[in-house]
Amino acid sequence: MTVDGSVKLTYVVTWREISDGLKIQMRHSPVGRWLFRALWVLVALLGLLSTANLLTRGVDAMGWAVWKLLLTLCLIFIVLRWLTALALLAYARHLGEHRVTIDADGISTISERHSNQTNWRFYGRSVESRRVFVLLTPDIWGTGVLILPKRGLGDPQDSEQLRSLITKHLEAA
């Protein structure tokens, strides 16, 4: 734990952390929740129509092209977040090792190719999972996302200090 009231993280981003962050972003932004529900309604509707068609006309009624289309749509829905995480991982790996300092002034990120200072007012809410802290912007899309992996903390007690810093400053913002 640091004496000056700041928390430092040092890490190289992994695919799993980015995937967790994107899942949290989808679940905690209004548009993400709406899209997730619309996706499930579409899947349920396709399943219901397919079942009704099979029961009334038999397996041969639906052509092979329809089955391939349904299978392709299902795979796209499943793989989309994974592919997005892979694309973001390539960018994050290009930046190299991240050294993040979180204090009363905000969040300072320094990597091998980039540095950034973000004020607390930029973020509106935070969500914590088993692996990461995720800070989200307050806009309807939740487009601004900062993923802070817990494994980047130097000391296990830093997790509690980071949690209290985030809570204190996001409530004030």
Side-chain angles (χ1 to χ4, degrees):
M1 206 183 261
T2 56
V3 178
D4 62 358
S6 66
V7 176
K8 297 183 187 304
L9 294 95
T10 303
Y11 58 90
V12 175
V13 180
T14 65
W15 175 84
R16 184 62 190 207
E17 292 159 350
I18 292 175
S19 181
D20 286 354
L22 291 175
K23 184 184 344 176
I24 289 171
Q25 177 192 27
M26 181 68 85
R27 288 183 181 164
H28 293 279
S29 67
V31 171
R33 285 190 302 268
W34 183 85
L35 287 173
F36 188 73
R37 288 180 191 128
L39 170 67
W40 277 110
V41 167
L42 178 64
V43 167
L45 183 62
L46 286 173
L48 182 66
L49 290 174
S50 298
T51 303
N53 194 16
L54 285 172
L55 291 175
T56 58
R57 297 184 183 172
V59 177
D60 295 334
M62 289 181 65
W64 181 239
V66 174
W67 286 111
K68 287 194 301 188
L69 175 67
L70 290 175
L71 181 62
T72 303
L73 285 174
C74 290
L75 288 175
I76 286 173
F77 291 143
I78 292 169
V79 176
L80 188 60
R81 189 180 78 233
W82 297 344
L83 294 175
T84 304
L86 281 175
L88 290 173
L89 178 63
Y91 172 70
R93 290 276 168 93
H94 170 73
L95 294 177
E97 182 181 72
H98 292 71
R99 292 174 304 285
V100 180
T101 304
I102 300 167
D103 56 21
D105 295 331
I107 300 149
S108 174
T109 306
I110 299 172
S111 69
E112 296 170 11
R113 294 181 177 83
H114 181 345
S115 64
N116 184 34
Q117 174 68 32
T118 307
N119 191 313
W120 283 110
R121 287 176 286 168
F122 182 73
Y123 296 106
R125 58 192 180 273
S126 71
V127 181
E128 181 180 356
S129 74
R130 188 167 45 97
R131 290 184 185 90
V132 295
F133 287 95
V134 178
L135 301 179
L136 300 164
T137 54
D139 60 304
I140 193 166
W141 292 95
T143 51
V145 178
L146 178 62
I147 301 168
L148 301 169
K150 291 181 180 180
R151 67 175 174 77
L153 295 166
D155 190 6
Q157 290 125 357
D158 285 347
S159 181
E160 185 58 41
Q161 185 177 6
L162 178 57
R163 189 178 298 110
S164 65
L165 265 172
I166 290 171
T167 303
K168 174 184 171 187
H169 291 290
L170 287 184
E171 285 175 359

